[in-house]
Amino acid sequence: MGKLSVGGQAVIEGVMMRGPGKVATAVRNPDGRIEVEKGPVHSIADKYPILKKPMLRGSVSLVESLVLGIRSLSYSAKMAGEEDEQLSDKEMAGTIIFAFVLAAVLFIAIPTGAAKFFHFITDDPVFLNLMEGFLRLAIFLGYIWGISRMKDIRRVFQYHGAEHKTIHCYEAGLPLTVENVQKFSRLHPRCGTNFLLIVMLVSIFVFAFLGWPSLVERIASRVVLLPVVAGISYELIRFAGRTTNPIALKLIQPGLWLQYLTTRPPEDDMVEVAIESLKAVLPEEEIVPGTGTYLEKDVPPTTETSELMPSVSQ
């Protein structure tokens, strides 16, 4: 449709949007006003073009999205009044390392360690690796279901729905108004939820034929091959976001179903925040006339913009 490629993430009382060369996080602060932090964002792949090649760009995108996501979450927590100050670079690095370690324990160490209990059926390594993969998938789905029951997370998931609806509205070429945005689906094929589910499924097949060495060797092999899994999954999600092939669309359907857990129907004031975030990363000529009409006329959200967000490559 000739539209710029944009993506986003829900944060605490807000939405982060990323467009070509720009990133913005819009948050509704405790007094009801919308605050927007925006700035340039440069991928390390701009400096090293080889990282834009298929199978490499997936890992780069994953790491950069994690960095941007944590930075945006830190900013949103401060603006929403939940934290006194944003994370320092050292604190952010520590948070990222902790996130990787926790993910490795939950989705690599536990399932591959627990798969040994299937030895009573057979010692076939392919079977054991498949069981490990299904255990990993079960843990992932259980984790998503569990956090979706938490009250605070449900509110974040409403902002997630607002993010998707707003992007849909932009891609349809309509003015970004609350009324227009609310007409669209809260499910989106390029969602990170889709990506994570595809990672789980791809890992089942990638790891199935690695044999069944010691536990340490199994964990190490999964970690080493994670960039391969991420690369394949990223290419699949890119294809799914562009294709109209009915068979391909059927294959990504489970990821869309999972978004019924990770998104919730947003309230109008949440959509207002998502609109402000998306407007901040779009060139003026990309913003359709009529954008920005709010339903709540008594307390119009005021956007205070700061140019504080550093680039990912720094």
Side-chain angles (χ1 to χ4, degrees):
M1 291 178 288
K3 291 294 180 180
L4 297 176
S5 177
V6 294
Q9 173 186 310
V11 294
I12 300 169
E13 292 302 322
V15 173
M16 179 268 281
M17 291 284 189
R18 180 177 180 177
K22 292 182 182 179
V23 63
T25 302
V27 178
R28 192 178 292 279
N29 65 23
D31 67 9
R33 299 161 73 89
I34 299 175
E35 305 247 4
V36 181
E37 180 184 65
K38 68 177 182 178
V41 59
H42 303 292
S43 172
I44 192 173
D46 295 331
K47 187 175 181 180
Y48 303 101
I50 192 174
L51 296 178
K52 294 183 180 181
K53 299 293 184 182
M55 296 303 296
L56 294 178
R57 57 192 176 189
S59 296
V60 173
S61 177
L62 180 62
V63 173
E64 291 182 343
S65 295
L66 182 60
V67 172
L68 278 178
I70 292 176
R71 183 174 288 145
S72 296
L73 279 169
S74 176
Y75 169 77
S76 68
K78 179 184 176 183
M79 291 299 102
E82 297 192 10
E83 299 289 344
D84 293 332
E85 57 184 32
Q86 290 180 243
L87 294 176
S88 66
D89 288 344
K90 286 185 178 180
E91 289 171 330
M92 190 171 71
T95 301
I96 292 172
I97 292 171
F98 175 77
F100 273 118
V101 171
L102 180 61
V105 171
L106 278 178
F107 303 119
I108 295 179
I110 291 178
T112 195
K116 67 180 181 180
F117 294 111
F118 290 95
H119 276 292
F120 76 93
I121 299 176
T122 178
D123 288 329
D124 179 56
V126 174
F127 174 80
L128 293 174
N129 283 322
L130 289 174
M131 290 302 99
E132 174 199 336
F134 289 123
L135 284 172
R136 182 181 300 109
L137 181 60
I139 292 171
F140 172 69
L141 295 176
Y143 173 80
I144 294 295
W145 180 84
I147 65 172
S148 72
R149 313 297 295 177
M150 300 168 62
K151 182 179 178 181
D152 290 343
I153 296 298
R154 284 202 301 269
R155 188 162 178 85
V156 173
F157 284 175
Q158 283 184 281
Y159 277 103
H160 192 191
E163 172 223 327
H164 285 180
K165 283 172 170 276
T166 304
I167 292 175
H168 271 307
C169 185
Y170 164 68
E171 291 175 337
L174 296 178
L176 297 175
T177 65
V178 172
E179 184 179 6
N180 285 343
V181 168
Q182 288 284 31
K183 295 175 183 177
F184 287 89
S185 171
R186 72 180 200 259
L187 314 181
H188 199 288
R190 292 198 312 273
C191 175
T193 303
N194 272 22
F195 177 75
L196 291 176
L197 182 59
I198 290 174
V199 164
M200 296 296 158
L201 295 175
V202 168
S203 70
I204 293 176
F205 297 100
V206 171
F207 299 155
F209 305 101
L210 295 181
W212 195 255
S214 69
L215 177 61
V216 173
E217 289 175 303
R218 294 200 307 274
I219 293 174
S221 67
R222 273 60 170 168
V223 173
V224 169
L225 286 175
L226 183 59
V228 176
V229 173
I232 296 172
S233 303
Y234 183 79
E235 299 307 320
L236 290 174
I237 203 75
R238 277 175 61 91
F239 174 74
R242 296 192 307 262
T243 187
T244 56
N245 184 292
I247 297 176
L249 294 177
K250 287 290 184 183
L251 291 175
I252 66 168
Q253 197 65 42
L256 294 176
W257 291 336
L258 187 57
Q259 288 178 46
Y260 281 112
L261 284 180
T262 62
T263 66
R264 299 289 187 197
E267 298 169 8
D268 288 344
D269 62 343
M270 296 175 173
V271 171
E272 291 175 355
V273 176
I275 289 172
E276 287 302 309
S277 185
L278 182 54
K279 284 168 55 182
V281 300
L282 293 177
E284 248 183 81
E285 63 271 16
E286 282 286 322
I287 301 176
V288 180
T291 284
T293 302
Y294 296 104
L295 297 185
E296 298 183 15
K297 298 298 183 183
D298 51 336
V299 187
T302 301
T303 302
E304 297 181 3
T305 304
S306 57
E307 305 281 351
L308 299 177
M309 187 168 289
S311 67
V312 169
S313 61
Q314 290 181 334

